[in-house]
Amino acid sequence: MRILVAEDDRITRASLARQLAAWDHQVAEAQDGEAAWSLFQTSRYDLVITDWEMPRLSGVEFIERIRQSNRPEYVYIIMLTSHSDKSDVVKGIEAGADDFVSKPFDREELRVRLLAGERIVRLERTLSQQNNQLQEASNRMRHDLDAAARVQRAMLPRQRIATPLVQAAWAYEPTDELAGDALGLHLIDERYLAAYVIDVSGHGVPAALLSVTAMHYLEPEPADTSLLRDMACSRGMGSVQRPSVVAAELNRRFSADNSDNRFLTMILCVLDTFAGRWTATVAGHPPPIILRGQDTMPLVYRGGLPVAILDDSEYEDVTVQLEPGDRVYLFSDGVVEQTGPAGGEPFGRKRLVDLLLADHDKDLSHVVTHGMNALADWAGGRRFQDDVSLVALEWIRPR
């Protein structure tokens, strides 16, 4: 071990240095506190042995400087002293000393004190090395999570959809780097607007992987592998598959994959922008909100189970004929279940409806932004308890 000896008495200092060298330690000597401090600043030491009373800088002051230096490695300090009063011992320990050896020192006593110091120093070095390794691993994981989050966000809608017939907007706020929520907006064949919100049970990487897999299945291209597409055009929606069929196929695939005992809720809808027919299926998900002016439209349907609960789950479609100006809102349960900063009352569906009704004449981009801001005000900040997704559609007019 590298040991710094600070002792103003030449004979005691030489005796200490000789004995420590005989025990195979590397020793540096200083004749007073200031000289010891200069040596300490320029070299690395595992252990310091310092006298209490020294010229220019006392042992207590020297120890205080060491402890205030914020070195990354711990330095074990033994104080040599002829003081035996308890208050002096307390003062030395408060300054940062780890142990005491009385003067004149006993060879065997010094040896066992050093052994105790060595054990502590080696333990500290081992812990420091392990902490560095953990930090490096944590940094790699953080880098990988950030990269995965970028991939996940890249799969979100790239821009707002706006045509003479329809407009759509969305907002998305994950609670962690990776989210279990997913949403999508796809204008297919320049006629059919497919929109969905998915919420995977749980959080973290497993939920995000399932979420990204579902988004991949629901990409409209390539058409021959997309669950959204019916290339045979056999169900009266052009090349777009009916939502209930999509949900059933998702359920079959995720159930077969045994998705780590996780499930997902989903609402998937397809809007025929030429005619205003809106068709949707709900799989264990919060039902949508449909607004016609200042009124909410009732929606009668039989929702299915979440995806990946039962292998043979069946789903049904509900169809609504929209009128020009009607708006449809899809959202995850993170919106309505978000409580205030002290817990208690959730934001709730009624509060969300009132907020959307108040903004019925505003542009959809304003509506979703206002909705997220209102939810953040309710939560006391943008750190939500769960992932939050909100999708808004407005049918403007028929073709």
Side-chain angles (χ1 to χ4, degrees):
M1 297 183 69
R2 290 181 54 83
I3 300 178
L4 173 60
V5 175
E7 169 61 67
D8 61 317
D9 182 78
R10 182 176 59 84
I11 296 175
T12 303
R13 185 173 68 251
S15 177
L16 270 172
R18 185 169 56 254
Q19 186 61 69
L20 293 171
W23 290 332
D24 294 328
H25 297 297
Q26 301 177 44
V27 184
E29 302 176 47
Q31 72 276 15
D32 59 52
E34 282 292 353
W37 176 240
S38 296
L39 286 173
F40 184 85
Q41 290 178 294
T42 57
S43 300
R44 173 185 172 276
Y45 297 97
D46 304 305
L47 193 145
V48 170
I49 300 175
T50 179
D51 191 15
W52 184 296
E53 295 178 352
M54 293 185 294
R56 300 175 67 196
L57 188 71
S58 72
V60 170
E61 293 169 330
F62 177 40
I63 292 172
E64 288 175 341
R65 288 191 183 183
I66 291 175
R67 295 309 184 207
Q68 292 169 5
S69 65
N70 294 323
R71 289 216 172 181
E73 67 278 353
Y74 188 76
V75 179
Y76 194 85
I77 302 175
I78 297 175
M79 178 166 273
L80 293 173
T81 179
S82 57
H83 295 254
S84 59
D85 190 86
K86 288 184 177 180
S87 62
D88 293 327
V89 174
V90 170
K91 183 178 179 181
I93 291 177
E94 287 179 341
D98 296 292
D99 205 350
F100 287 82
V101 173
S102 299
K103 294 174 66 176
F105 70 88
D106 177 80
R107 179 177 176 276
E108 285 304 306
E109 179 186 1
L110 178 62
R111 185 180 67 83
V112 296
R113 304 280 187 184
L114 284 172
L115 288 175
E118 285 184 58
R119 286 195 296 268
I120 291 176
V121 168
R122 288 197 178 100
L123 176 61
E124 190 278 333
R125 299 291 188 269
T126 300
L127 290 175
S128 178
Q129 183 180 22
Q130 291 174 345
N131 285 337
N132 289 337
Q133 293 171 347
L134 288 173
Q135 186 61 54
E136 290 175 3
S138 176
N139 291 340
R140 289 195 298 271
M141 290 177 62
R142 174 65 61 181
H143 179 269
D144 292 344
L145 284 173
D146 289 342
R150 288 194 295 272
V151 171
Q152 189 177 37
R153 284 186 172 273
M155 298 183 72
L156 295 172
R158 288 175 174 78
Q159 59 187 5
R160 174 188 173 190
I161 292 176
T163 76
L165 308 182
V166 68
Q167 65 168 326
W170 59 275
Y172 174 84
E173 192 78 38
T175 188
D176 294 314
E177 292 88 352
L178 295 175
D181 270 19
L183 61 85
L185 285 168
H186 302 290
L187 187 59
I188 302 173
D189 299 336
E190 300 301 320
R191 176 172 180 173
Y192 297 99
L193 178 60
Y196 65 83
V197 172
I198 289 172
D199 185 1
V200 179
S201 62
H203 297 283
V205 174
L209 288 174
L210 198 59
S211 169
V212 168
T213 301
M215 294 173 78
H216 176 72
Y217 285 147
L218 297 177
E219 284 287 330
E221 301 295 339
D224 58 343
T225 60
S226 171
L227 296 189
L228 282 180
R229 306 301 288 269
D230 175 16
M231 301 312 296
C233 302
S234 60
R235 298 179 181 271
M237 298 180 69
S239 69
V240 180
Q241 187 62 269
R242 297 190 69 82
S244 60
V245 177
V246 176
E249 179 59 20
L250 265 183
N251 183 74
R252 186 189 68 79
R253 295 191 183 189
F254 283 133
S255 297
D257 290 342
N258 190 20
S259 306
D260 194 29
N261 293 321
R262 294 179 183 275
F263 61 88
L264 61 89
T265 68
M266 178 181 69
I267 178 168
L268 169 65
C269 65
V270 176
L271 173 62
D272 181 347
T273 64
F274 286 9
R277 284 189 302 274
W278 178 84
T279 303
T281 195
V282 179
H285 199 84
I289 295 171
I290 303 178
L291 301 184
R292 178 165 291 167
Q294 291 278 43
D295 297 318
T296 59
M297 292 182 60
L299 190 63
V300 179
Y301 71 99
R302 182 175 65 86
L305 290 173
V307 170
I309 293 289
L310 294 178
D311 294 349
D312 56 353
S313 289
E314 296 182 355
Y315 302 89
E316 69 173 21
D317 292 316
V318 58
T319 300
V320 175
Q321 178 59 54
L322 299 182
E323 294 183 1
D326 284 354
R327 291 181 170 184
V328 179
Y329 295 94
L330 320 178
F331 51 92
S332 61
D333 60 8
V335 176
V336 293
E337 293 180 1
Q338 174 64 50
T339 60
E345 184 182 359
F347 190 75
R349 184 181 178 90
K350 182 180 184 305
R351 189 173 279 103
L352 176 61
V353 170
D354 291 343
L355 180 72
L356 299 176
L357 285 173
D359 285 342
H360 75 282
D361 57 344
K362 302 292 194 308
D363 182 81
L364 285 187
S365 294
H366 169 87
V367 175
V368 296
T369 300
H370 183 209
M372 295 295 283
N373 291 337
L375 189 65
D377 291 342
W378 178 262
R382 298 199 80 88
R383 186 68 177 178
F384 299 125
Q385 295 166 340
D386 196 1
D387 304 324
V388 170
S389 300
L390 178 62
V391 175
L393 315 175
E394 180 182 1
W395 188 53
I396 299 173
R397 64 176 179 81
R399 185 179 181 182

